[in-house]
């Protein structure tokens, strides 16, 4: 989706810094906060939309409809000023795909086929739903662990197709990754020019300079000191991850086909970097002075920025809070559902995950 957006920016049809309403005719993004929503906000998930849970997936193709119909009837409310806080938005991604439709004159699925899949010869990939007949026999099944056994599940339809409708093989995803590692080129074909690719790998939004943030579509991170651009993909029964290390000419793609796959994916990423790009620095941080006073300010229960506020679905937030509890000297425990993570303070209000090396930062007061 973000590649299609960058193609429109590259062609001069889309200005990522202007009010998106100038590209919308059938409906408009409601005014609010004295600041319009732009494509830069969509690409960094900082538009300020609330989340939507109900209707993200469907059991059959009868629930599918044109993007214009779906977005016009159920555009999420704006609950915060754009450009201030990131909160992942599937509707934001779908809105970006719809704008590509408006600018190109093609349905998003057709555009992806012509402008990405065909040039890269990704012949085993589709964003059409249901999957075309010639690819159906290659579909992996998703599974759920129920009553001590794996139970096969049906195909998961994504009505907001630009938010996650792609069915692909790892081999095809390798072609997509190689194109990005080669600055937009694969063989004689080019899907983006080098400046556009660099823009996607460059931080466009972060909550704090000490933390990784978002590029133009790619989510940026750092593992064992390595700069990484990537994106995950999650349904109920599939958990995928695409990671690129541009400085290392390396990519990793994996997809697990069970409801327990997210934990395996996380462990694989950690083990991959520890094996192939081990950290050369062993960091040891004694408890910092004043830790107990800071601990008193951050101990408690936290809500996600990705949340529902205006519909009954907000009750789901009761099951997605994060609790911070005191740990060993200079450490905190982060409790999320049934899991506990251990974090060590490395700077005042900045913590490092003792297992993964990820960073966690607390801001006191107005974010």
């Amino acid at each position: 989706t973000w590649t299609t957006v960058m193609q429109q920016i590259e062609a001069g049809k889309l200005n990522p810094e202007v009010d998106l309403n100038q590209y919308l005719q059938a409906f408009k993004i409601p005014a609010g906060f004295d600041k319009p929503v732009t494509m830069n906000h969509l690409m960094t998930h900082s538009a300020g939309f609330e989340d939507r849970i109900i209707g993200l997936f469907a059991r059959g193709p009868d629930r599918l409809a044109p993007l214009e119909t779906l977005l016009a009837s159920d555009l999420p409310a704006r609950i915060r000023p754009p450009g201030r806080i990131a909160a992942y938005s599937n509707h934001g991604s779908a809105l970006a795909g719809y704008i590509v439709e408006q600018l190109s004159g093609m349905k998003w699925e057709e555009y992806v086929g012509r402008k990405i899949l065909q040039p890269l010869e990704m012949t085993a990939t589709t964003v059409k739903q249901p999957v075309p007949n010639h690819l159906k026999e290659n579909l992996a099944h998703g599974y759920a662990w129920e009553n001590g056994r794996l139970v096969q599940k049906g195909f998961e339809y994504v009505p907001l197709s630009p938010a996650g409708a792609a069915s692909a093989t790892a081999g095809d995803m390798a072609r997509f990754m190689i194109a990005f590692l080669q600055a937009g080129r694969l063989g004689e074909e080019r899907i983006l020019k080098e400046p556009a690719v660099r823009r996607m790998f460059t931080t466009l939004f972060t909550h704090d300079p000490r933390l990784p943030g978002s590029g133009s579509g790619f989510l940026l991170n750092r593992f064992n000191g390595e700069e990484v651009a990537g994106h995950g993909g999650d349904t109920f029964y599939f958990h995928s991850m695409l990671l690129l290390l541009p400085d290392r000419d390396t990519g990793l793609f994996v997809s697990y086909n069970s409801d327990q796959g997210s934990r395996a994916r996380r462990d694989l990423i950690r083990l991959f970097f520890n094996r192939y790009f081990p950290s050369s620095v062993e960091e040891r941080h004694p408890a910092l002075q004043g830790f107990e006073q800071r601990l008193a300010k951050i101990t408690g229960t936290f809500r996600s920025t990705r949340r529902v506020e205006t519909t009954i679905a907000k009750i789901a937030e009761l099951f997605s809070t994060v609790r911070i509890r005191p740990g060993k000297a200079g450490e905190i425990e982060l409790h999320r559902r049934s899991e506990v993570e251990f974090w060590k303070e490395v700077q005042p209000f900045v913590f490092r995950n003792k297992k993964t090396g990820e960073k966690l930062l607390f801001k006191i007061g107005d974010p």
Side-chain angles (χ1 to χ4, degrees), residues 144-179:
W145 188 257
E146 297 177 358
N147 300 318
R149 66 189 185 93
L150 285 172
V151 178
Q152 181 176 309
K153 299 294 182 177
F155 184 81
E156 297 170 278
Y157 290 85
V158 181
L160 298 173
S161 52
S167 298
T169 64
D172 269 11
M173 294 309 299
R175 300 184 68 82
F176 185 75
M177 291 190 292
I178 291 169

Side-chain angles (χ1 to χ4, degrees), residues 2 5 14-16 18 20 37-43 96 99:
W2 305 118
V5 167
L14 173 62
N15 184 335
V18 304
L20 287 178
V37 174
T38 70
M39 185 57 74
N40 278 344
H41 295 137
L42 295 188
M43 287 195 285
I99 289 173

